[in-house]
PDB file of all heavy atoms in Angstrom:
ATOM      1  N   ARG Q  34     170.372 107.023  80.225  1.00 87.00           N
ATOM      2  CA  ARG Q  34     169.345 106.107  79.793  1.00 87.00           C
ATOM      3  C   ARG Q  34     169.881 104.905  78.993  1.00 87.00           C
ATOM      4  O   ARG Q  34     169.132 103.998  78.664  1.00 87.00           O
ATOM      5  CB  ARG Q  34     168.311 106.828  78.907  1.00 87.00           C
ATOM      6  CG  ARG Q  34     167.513 107.910  79.677  1.00 87.00           C
ATOM      7  CD  ARG Q  34     166.523 108.567  78.755  1.00 87.00           C
ATOM      8  NE  ARG Q  34     165.691 109.538  79.479  1.00 87.00           N
ATOM      9  CZ  ARG Q  34     164.575 109.222  80.122  1.00 87.00           C
ATOM     10  NH1 ARG Q  34     164.133 107.985  80.105  1.00 87.00           N
ATOM     11  NH2 ARG Q  34     163.849 110.157  80.747  1.00 87.00           N
ATOM     12  N   THR Q  35     171.201 104.905  78.719  1.00 89.00           N
ATOM     13  CA  THR Q  35     171.737 103.775  77.982  1.00 89.00           C
ATOM     14  C   THR Q  35     171.831 102.482  78.781  1.00 89.00           C
ATOM     15  O   THR Q  35     171.995 101.422  78.218  1.00 89.00           O
ATOM     16  CB  THR Q  35     173.164 104.150  77.495  1.00 89.00           C
ATOM     17  OG1 THR Q  35     173.975 104.540  78.635  1.00 89.00           O
ATOM     18  CG2 THR Q  35     173.109 105.329  76.527  1.00 89.00           C
ATOM     19  N   LYS Q  36     171.714 102.603  80.101  1.00 89.00           N
ATOM     20  CA  LYS Q  36     171.820 101.428  80.971  1.00 89.00           C
ATOM     21  C   LYS Q  36     170.544 100.569  80.860  1.00 89.00           C
ATOM     22  O   LYS Q  36     169.455 101.084  80.630  1.00 89.00           O
ATOM     23  CB  LYS Q  36     172.017 101.857  82.426  1.00 89.00           C
ATOM     24  CG  LYS Q  36     173.267 102.653  82.670  1.00 89.00           C
ATOM     25  CD  LYS Q  36     174.534 101.811  82.410  1.00 89.00           C
ATOM     26  CE  LYS Q  36     175.793 102.619  82.715  1.00 89.00           C
ATOM     27  NZ  LYS Q  36     177.015 101.827  82.509  1.00 89.00           N
ATOM     28  N   THR Q  37     170.717  99.283  81.031  1.00 91.00           N
ATOM     29  CA  THR Q  37     169.572  98.365  80.993  1.00 91.00           C
ATOM     30  C   THR Q  37     168.852  98.366  82.316  1.00 91.00           C
ATOM     31  O   THR Q  37     169.378  98.855  83.328  1.00 91.00           O
ATOM     32  CB  THR Q  37     170.045  96.930  80.663  1.00 91.00           C
ATOM     33  OG1 THR Q  37     171.011  96.535  81.689  1.00 91.00           O
ATOM     34  CG2 THR Q  37     170.699  96.872  79.308  1.00 91.00           C
ATOM     35  N   ARG Q  38     167.656  97.838  82.322  1.00 91.00           N
ATOM     36  CA  ARG Q  38     166.793  97.916  83.549  1.00 91.00           C
ATOM     37  C   ARG Q  38     167.456  97.256  84.752  1.00 91.00           C
ATOM     38  O   ARG Q  38     167.366  97.768  85.865  1.00 91.00           O
ATOM     39  CB  ARG Q  38     165.447  97.239  83.253  1.00 91.00           C
ATOM     40  CG  ARG Q  38     164.484  97.294  84.433  1.00 91.00           C
ATOM     41  CD  ARG Q  38     163.156  96.646  84.035  1.00 91.00           C
ATOM     42  NE  ARG Q  38     162.456  97.457  83.073  1.00 91.00           N
ATOM     43  CZ  ARG Q  38     161.603  98.429  83.349  1.00 91.00           C
ATOM     44  NH1 ARG Q  38     161.381  98.741  84.645  1.00 91.00           N
ATOM     45  NH2 ARG Q  38     160.986  99.118  82.444  1.00 91.00           N
ATOM     46  N   ASP Q  39     168.168  96.150  84.554  1.00 92.00           N
ATOM     47  CA  ASP Q  39     168.768  95.479  85.690  1.00 92.00           C
ATOM     48  C   ASP Q  39     169.969  96.255  86.270  1.00 92.00           C
ATOM     49  O   ASP Q  39     170.430  95.966  87.364  1.00 92.00           O
ATOM     50  CB  ASP Q  39     169.242  94.047  85.283  1.00 92.00           C
ATOM     51  CG  ASP Q  39     170.261  94.096  84.146  1.00 92.00           C
ATOM     52  OD1 ASP Q  39     170.081  94.850  83.184  1.00 92.00           O
ATOM     53  OD2 ASP Q  39     171.294  93.391  84.262  1.00 92.00           O
ATOM     54  N   GLU Q  40     170.444  97.246  85.524  1.00 94.00           N
ATOM     55  CA  GLU Q  40     171.585  98.063  86.016  1.00 94.00           C
ATOM     56  C   GLU Q  40     171.117  99.342  86.690  1.00 94.00           C
ATOM     57  O   GLU Q  40     171.936 100.087  87.225  1.00 94.00           O
ATOM     58  CB  GLU Q  40     172.489  98.461  84.825  1.00 94.00           C
ATOM     59  CG  GLU Q  40     173.133  97.241  84.135  1.00 94.00           C
ATOM     60  CD  GLU Q  40     173.950  97.724  82.936  1.00 94.00           C
ATOM     61  OE1 GLU Q  40     173.321  98.239  81.975  1.00 94.00           O
ATOM     62  OE2 GLU Q  40     175.162  97.538  82.951  1.00 94.00           O
ATOM     63  N   VAL Q  41     169.804  99.616  86.651  1.00 95.00           N
ATOM     64  CA  VAL Q  41     169.268 100.875  87.167  1.00 95.00           C
ATOM     65  C   VAL Q  41     168.678 100.713  88.571  1.00 95.00           C
ATOM     66  O   VAL Q  41     167.986  99.724  88.828  1.00 95.00           O
ATOM     67  CB  VAL Q  41     168.178 101.421  86.209  1.00 95.00           C
ATOM     68  CG1 VAL Q  41     167.496 102.649  86.806  1.00 95.00           C
ATOM     69  CG2 VAL Q  41     168.749 101.750  84.854  1.00 95.00           C
TER      70      VAL Q  41
END
Side-chain angles (χ1 to χ4, degrees):
R34 295 180 176 274
T35 56
K36 300 294 184 178
T37 58
R38 182 178 292 270
D39 61 315
E40 298 175 295
V41 173

